[in-house]
Amino acid sequence: MFLWGTATAAYQIEGAADEDGRGPSVWDTFSHEPGRTREGHTGDVACDHYHRWPEDVALMAGLGVNAYRFSIAWPRVQPAGSGPVNARGLDFYDRLVDALLEAGITPVPTLFHWDLPQALEDGGGWLARDTAHRFAEYAALAAGRLADRVRMWITLNEPFVHMAYGYAMGIHAPGRALMTGALPAAHHQLLGHGLAVGALRAAGAEQVLITNNCTPVWSASDAAADLAAAEAYDVLHNRLFNDPVLIGKYPDLSAYGVANLDSVHDGDLDIIAAPLDGIGINYYNPTRIAAPSADAGLPFEDAGISGYPTTAFGWPVVPDGLRELLVHLKDRYGDALPPVYVTENGCSQEDVPGPDGVVDDRGRIAYLERHIQAVRRAQREGVDVRGYFVWSLLDNFEWAEGYHQRFGLVHVDFATQRRTPKASYAWLRDFLAAAED
Ligand code: FCB
């Protein structure tokens, strides 16, 4: 069965930051620091999904999706990132899973969508090797409670974005700007992934995936310097996270002045390359790369993409980039590429309800339709794609952008928490009703 789903993440929708024993995460700390997020927005309340989840499950049932990708908040399960389980935190996901199954919706939890318990960050966060071991312990606790009903699990969400935005550039929590000093955060996340695969399987998980953010990398020209820069960017964004997981080795990082990653110990790559049942791919747009200007500290420069429509975020809309990416993954990894699930794809728009209350987001309808067609083309070209999840079910807390980028199929009025399905919701419902897989 092809999985048609929606995707969300705990910190972006749940709210209830202090309830039922939840501990603080790096995103609570970061969003409460002045100047970190647009207008100082935080996820304290977000979509109040922690209380309104029955309504949200009903919205998904009405949409007709057969899968839901959500994330489990580690600080609800282990408020300090280690030690005993907080049963009340897991109770929430237990109820959610039961309600989803009752509605015929396959639950697909992600264990880490960037909300590291603050106590672990205080000990070095993902720069510390110990965090990988703590992650596996947490995975065992979550699966120990849920794996009797949850068959498919995702370990990490987008370790590239978490490393780059959180540890290299300081745009996301935990707000560190270490540039290449952030690389241990890549390795320790991947090690945590590998250790968690073992823990999940031991607890009875049947299918285990990782979700990587991937981008087709376009060189700004055929000049050798631009081609080399594009290759360096591909290494950082795509290969650093796909190669170790799929083929058990790191790509050549010499463009970054790194001969070997010091944080890698003997045996780590065997753990990281534990066989998977699928790979989650999040796709938003391609990236066009040029050689860096003389004073740049990195071996590439983002040259920007013009000639395409853009989302409210300013991201270029290139549906065929999804086909290109999927086919490229198949070409690069061959039989080492497990079945692919597009675990996020979607667009932000300035959605405002009209006087009749209708949100006529026809741009999103066109976006989704064309990206789904791109998935179909990739399938015809031989890529084993088994799922497609729209980001997102609800308008939500979009990290550093606060509540400014609306990605939902359902509009959320953040003052009243009123949910209003947009035109794209009705379109997807009709599309799914007619879909043959
Ligand atoms: C992805 C994140 C997701 C959401 C979308 C727009 O990088 O995984 O949480 O913010 O971007």
Side-chain angles (χ1 to χ4, degrees):
M1 180 179 70
F2 192 87
L3 295 186
W4 292 105
T6 57
T8 63
Y11 191 73
Q12 295 181 274
I13 64 166
E14 286 180 359
D18 290 325
E19 265 176 72
D20 292 337
R22 178 186 182 276
S25 77
V26 292
W27 267 99
D28 296 279
T29 309
F30 182 82
S31 64
H32 280 269
E33 285 168 7
R36 293 297 206 175
T37 64
R38 211 163 143 189
E39 288 188 69
H41 289 167
T42 74
D44 288 0
V45 178
C47 306
D48 195 30
H49 170 77
Y50 193 76
H51 300 113
R52 293 169 195 263
W53 60 271
E55 183 181 354
D56 297 336
V57 172
L59 282 163
M60 282 186 273
L63 186 56
V65 288
N66 59 19
Y68 174 43
R69 174 174 179 242
F70 59 98
S71 82
I72 296 176
W74 186 348
R76 288 198 194 282
V77 177
Q78 277 182 308
S82 59
V85 71
N86 171 40
R88 285 180 299 165
L90 273 176
D91 288 347
F92 171 69
Y93 299 105
D94 202 273
R95 291 191 291 270
L96 178 65
V97 161
D98 283 346
L100 289 167
L101 290 170
E102 204 160 306
I105 300 170
T106 300
V108 185
T110 300
L111 285 163
F112 180 69
H113 201 126
W114 306 348
D115 46 357
L116 192 76
Q118 181 61 41
L120 291 184
E121 178 58 27
D122 296 342
W126 288 109
L127 298 172
R129 188 177 173 89
D130 184 57
T131 299
H133 292 282
R134 299 286 70 75
F135 180 63
E137 189 180 287
Y138 149 63
L141 292 173
R145 179 76 178 269
L146 301 172
D148 58 334
R149 285 151 291 153
V150 173
R151 300 174 55 201
M152 182 183 267
W153 293 79
I154 299 175
T155 55
L156 305 175
N157 177 68
E158 300 187 350
F160 165 73
V161 176
H162 192 53
M163 175 201 74
Y165 284 41
Y167 287 87
M169 296 187 290
I171 300 167
H172 281 181
R176 304 214 202 184
L178 304 171
M179 299 312 284
T180 52
L183 285 169
H187 180 62
H188 295 143
Q189 285 185 88
L190 290 170
L191 179 62
H193 155 77
L195 293 167
V197 172
L200 289 166
R201 294 212 192 281
E206 287 175 24
Q207 288 176 286
V208 185
L209 286 71
I210 186 172
T211 279
N212 278 336
N213 179 298
C214 293
T215 183
V217 181
W218 296 351
S219 176
S221 81
D222 286 337
D226 287 340
L227 289 168
E231 195 178 319
Y233 188 74
D234 184 36
V235 160
L236 188 68
H237 192 133
N238 299 314
R239 293 187 52 197
L240 180 58
F241 298 88
N242 288 330
D243 284 14
V245 165
L246 298 179
I247 54 173
K249 53 185 185 209
Y250 277 109
D252 178 4
L253 290 163
S254 55
Y256 296 88
V258 174
N260 284 301
L261 286 171
D262 298 336
S263 41
V264 181
H265 295 189
D266 281 352
D268 285 2
L269 279 156
D270 292 337
I271 295 168
I272 293 170
L276 294 177
D277 307 285
I279 183 158
I281 299 292
N282 292 355
Y283 170 75
Y284 288 95
N285 51 259
T287 310
R288 192 166 151 267
I289 293 293
S293 43
D295 57 352
L298 289 167
F300 62 83
E301 204 165 88
D302 189 333
I305 291 179
S306 52
Y308 291 87
T310 52
T311 69
F313 228 135
W315 298 351
V317 178
V318 187
D320 193 59
L322 179 52
R323 180 206 59 82
E324 178 186 337
L325 171 66
L326 296 170
V327 170
H328 184 68
L329 285 167
K330 178 74 190 161
D331 289 346
R332 176 173 279 163
Y333 297 106
D335 291 343
L337 185 72
V340 175
Y341 296 81
V342 177
T343 39
E344 283 182 31
N345 177 239
C347 65
S348 63
Q349 286 199 174
E350 313 258 345
D351 296 316
V352 184
D356 50 0
V358 173
V359 182
D360 186 10
D361 58 341
R362 52 189 76 176
R364 179 170 293 104
I365 294 173
Y367 182 101
L368 296 175
E369 187 167 31
R370 295 179 63 203
H371 283 79
I372 291 170
Q373 285 165 0
V375 169
R376 300 285 199 212
R377 287 198 298 280
Q379 287 176 313
R380 284 198 293 274
E381 291 183 43
V383 188
D384 184 6
V385 189
R386 299 199 187 173
Y388 176 87
F389 293 73
V390 176
W391 184 270
S392 183
L393 174 66
L394 305 169
D395 293 341
N396 60 49
F397 174 78
E398 179 44 42
W399 310 116
E401 289 287 306
Y403 295 96
H404 286 283
Q405 303 295 340
R406 293 181 176 272
F407 278 89
L409 296 163
V410 175
H411 181 273
V412 178
D413 177 332
F414 293 105
T416 63
Q417 291 298 341
R418 193 188 150 134
R419 275 92 161 121
T420 308
K422 302 178 190 176
S424 57
Y425 174 99
W427 174 82
L428 187 62
R429 180 193 61 211
D430 294 347
F431 171 86
L432 294 176
E436 278 164 15
D437 47 6

